[in-house]
Structure formats: C-alpha cells, structure tokens
C-alpha cells in the first residue's frame, strides 16, 4: 500500500511539475511574441528587460512594468492574440504620466521647431490628448513639431504644455522660427558662414530649411536643398540637382531618422518641393 501511495505521489508531482513547466513556457513564449509585436505596433515602446512577472518597457521617457502573468490570467476568452496584444499596448499608453510644463517665461527663448516624419507624430496620436504633440504639416510625410531646446535634452511641446502656457499654435510657431533664426545665426558665426553641407551638428540640421535664406551660401545659382535625414542638410546649385537627388535618395533609404527623399528649390516666394506641388515657406 505504501508503495502505491509513493508511486501515486510521484505521478502527481510529475503532473504538477509538467503543468508548471508548460505554464512557464507559455508565459515566456507569449512574452516574446508580445515584445516582437510591439516593435511594429508600438515603435515608441522599447523593452528594457524581463521581470519575474513580465518585462519592463520604456516609452516617452517613462519606464513601466508589464505584469504579463496577471494579464494572461485575465485575458478574455475567444480573442485573437494580436487583438489582445493591441489592447495591452493601448492600456500601457494610458499609464504614461503627463509631464509638467516648464515655466514659459523661463524657456520661451529655447523653443524651436523640429522636423519629424508624420509617422512619428501619428504615434503620439494614439496617446491620451494631453500627451499628443503640437504640430503642423510641412510637406507630405513631414511635420513640424516643437521642442524646448535645453543644453542636454529636448522636451517635446504637447497639447497639455501649450494649454498650461496659454499660447496659440500660430504664436508658438512664429516664436519657434524666430528662435531658430537666432540659433542658426549663432551657429553660422561659429562655422565661419553658410555651408553647402550641414551634417550632425546639433540635430536641427534638416529643420534649418525653415530658415533657408540664412543657410544657403552666397554665389550659388538657383539653389536647391535636400534634407534626407534629421541631422543632414545638403545645398547645391540647380545644375547639380540630379547628383543631389541621387545622393538624397540613397541617404534617405539608409537613414535611421529619415525626413524627406525629395529636393527643394529655393525661390523668392519660398520653398518649392520639386516633382510635387509648390509649398509655402513656413
């Protein structure tokens, strides 16, 4: 009888152990699939390491722990895994705290525009309204956003920030471009004047197309400008447009922070996006 009890106990222990192993394997595999799904569905979220209950993720400067074990227990029945993953992501976005707005009078001279792909702005549109960016279109696929250009970081201007400041979007844009002009004039002094290439100087290289009249060197006949990357601006005469367009396409395709694959012509009336409809200078 004792032998039967011992055998039965071993069988039960083996079954329990197998169940634990299966549950843990399911947990680990689900975690891996969720993290992989996030890379496409939520590119602003970066998994920063596993935890006992799930993993930690960094998004918009905030670290959040995902209790995947609890979420798995509460997962609704008859829901496709990808749909459930999307629900988890949507819930995570509601957990990002709304940052405090910096004092407007103290930082207003550091507010500058920054060009970003429209897809970058669209990521923030998935967040609660206070966290959405203040922006305006520049050309198709490219948006003008706004940042507080601090010495060691850049703080995004969000809808909540603008509300606290009590500023109108048009006034913010005018102020930001004015500040960019002053910042660019100072940079050009350090560089010894306008250049044909601005590469990896301060992260606002492409954005300076908004003040094209400052950055185009004198003596260039019918200048054209390209901004293939966030940190690159290229200037050339119209005669070199084909070569500039080829370089722009190549650099845009290889960039980690691409901006625009087209070339712009600088005219007295403003910027013209070549091979597309004219656009007003911002």
């Amino acid at each position: 009888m004792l032998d039967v009890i011992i055998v039965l106990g071993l069988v039960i222990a083996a079954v329990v152990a197998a169940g634990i192993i299966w549950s843990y394997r399911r947990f680990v595999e689900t975690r891996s699939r969720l993290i992989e799904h996030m890379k496409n569905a939520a590119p602003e979220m970066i998994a920063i390491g596993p935890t006992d209950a799930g993993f930690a993720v960094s998004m918009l400067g905030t670290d959040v722990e995902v209790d995947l074990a609890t979420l798995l227990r509460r997962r609704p029945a008859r829901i496709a895994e990808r749909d459930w993953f999307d629900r988890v992501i949507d819930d995570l976005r509601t957990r990002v705290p709304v940052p405090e707005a910096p004092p407007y009078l103290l930082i207003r001279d550091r507010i500058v525009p920054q060009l970003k792909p429209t897809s970058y702005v669209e990521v923030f549109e998935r967040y609660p309204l206070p966290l959405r960016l203040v922006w305006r279109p520049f050309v198709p696929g490219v948006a003008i956003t706004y940042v507080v250009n601090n010495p060691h970081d850049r703080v995004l201007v969000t809808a909540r920030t603008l509300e606290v400041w009590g500023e109108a979007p048009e006034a913010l844009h005018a102020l930001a471009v004015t500040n960019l002009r002053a910042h660019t004039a100072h940079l050009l002094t350090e560089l010894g004047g306008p250049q044909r290439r601005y590469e990896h100087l301060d992260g606002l290289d492409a954005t300076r197309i908004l003040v094209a009249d400052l950055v185009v060197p004198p003596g260039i006949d019918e200048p054209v400008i390209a901004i293939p990357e966030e940190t690159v601006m290229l200037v050339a005469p119209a005669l070199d447009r084909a070569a500039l367009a080829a370089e722009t396409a190549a650099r845009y395709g290889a960039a980690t922070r691409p901006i625009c694959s087209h070339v712009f012509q600088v005219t007295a009336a403003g910027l013209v996006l070549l091979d597309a409809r004219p656009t007003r200078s911002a």
Side-chain angles (χ1 to χ4, degrees):
M1 183 65 180
L2 180 60
D3 291 344
V4 173
I5 294 174
I6 292 174
V7 171
L8 182 60
L10 292 174
V11 170
I12 293 173
V15 171
V16 171
I20 293 173
I21 292 172
W22 178 85
S23 295
Y24 184 71
R25 182 180 299 161
R26 173 175 175 261
F27 166 80
V28 171
E29 291 175 350
T30 302
R31 179 172 62 188
S32 297
R33 290 195 299 273
L34 174 55
I35 291 174
E36 188 64 28
H37 181 73
M38 280 182 170
K39 292 179 181 179
N40 294 320
E44 81 281 11
M45 297 184 185
I46 301 173
I48 56 178
T51 64
D52 291 340
F55 60 98
V57 61
S58 176
M59 50 183 177
L60 307 191
T62 299
D63 294 346
V64 176
E65 288 196 8
V66 183
D67 186 353
L68 184 59
T70 299
L71 291 173
L72 276 170
R73 289 195 297 270
R74 297 175 179 174
R75 176 180 171 177
R78 298 180 180 179
I79 182 173
E81 185 174 72
R82 288 178 64 86
D83 294 337
W84 180 63
F85 284 168
D86 288 336
R87 288 191 187 184
V88 171
I89 290 170
D90 288 341
D91 178 67
L92 288 174
R93 287 176 172 139
T94 67
R95 294 165 59 186
V96 177
V98 178
E100 294 186 7
Y104 188 45
L105 293 179
L106 296 182
I107 53 81
R108 69 188 312 274
D109 62 335
R110 298 203 298 271
I111 300 171
V112 295
Q114 186 172 35
L115 295 187
K116 289 286 188 179
T118 304
S119 57
Y120 174 86
V121 174
E122 290 171 347
V123 167
F124 289 82
E125 296 296 307
R126 304 168 189 167
Y127 282 81
L129 180 59
L131 289 168
R132 297 177 188 176
L133 299 185
V134 179
W135 68 283
R136 62 192 291 161
F138 177 51
V139 295
V142 183
I144 303 174
T145 67
Y146 305 92
V147 296
V148 180
N149 192 30
N150 293 322
H152 302 294
D153 63 5
R154 290 196 174 108
V155 178
L156 295 166
V157 177
T158 64
R160 175 59 178 165
T161 304
L162 199 62
E163 180 184 15
V164 171
W165 287 346
E167 188 63 278
E170 288 297 328
L172 176 75
H173 179 75
L175 173 66
V177 173
T178 296
N179 290 341
L180 180 65
R181 294 186 71 86
H183 190 283
T184 300
H186 178 73
L187 177 68
L188 293 177
T189 299
E190 294 182 347
L191 294 175
Q195 311 289 310
R196 290 196 175 203
R197 290 176 174 261
Y198 302 88
E199 300 188 53
H200 315 301
L201 296 176
D202 60 0
L204 296 173
D205 308 83
T207 301
R208 290 193 169 88
I209 196 170
L210 301 180
V211 290
D213 58 303
L214 290 181
V215 297
V216 174
I220 293 184
D221 188 31
E222 298 180 352
V224 288
I225 295 180
I227 48 173
E229 305 176 46
E230 189 173 305
T231 58
V232 173
M233 175 189 287
L234 309 173
V235 184
L239 288 176
D240 295 337
R241 172 185 165 186
L244 180 64
E247 180 180 359
T248 298
R251 297 189 67 156
Y252 177 84
T256 57
R257 294 184 176 181
I259 292 294
C260 185
S261 60
H262 292 278
V263 174
F264 297 78
Q265 184 173 12
V266 182
T267 72
L271 297 169
V272 174
L273 184 62
L274 298 179
D275 300 323
R277 292 183 301 174
T279 180
R280 292 182 299 171
S281 178

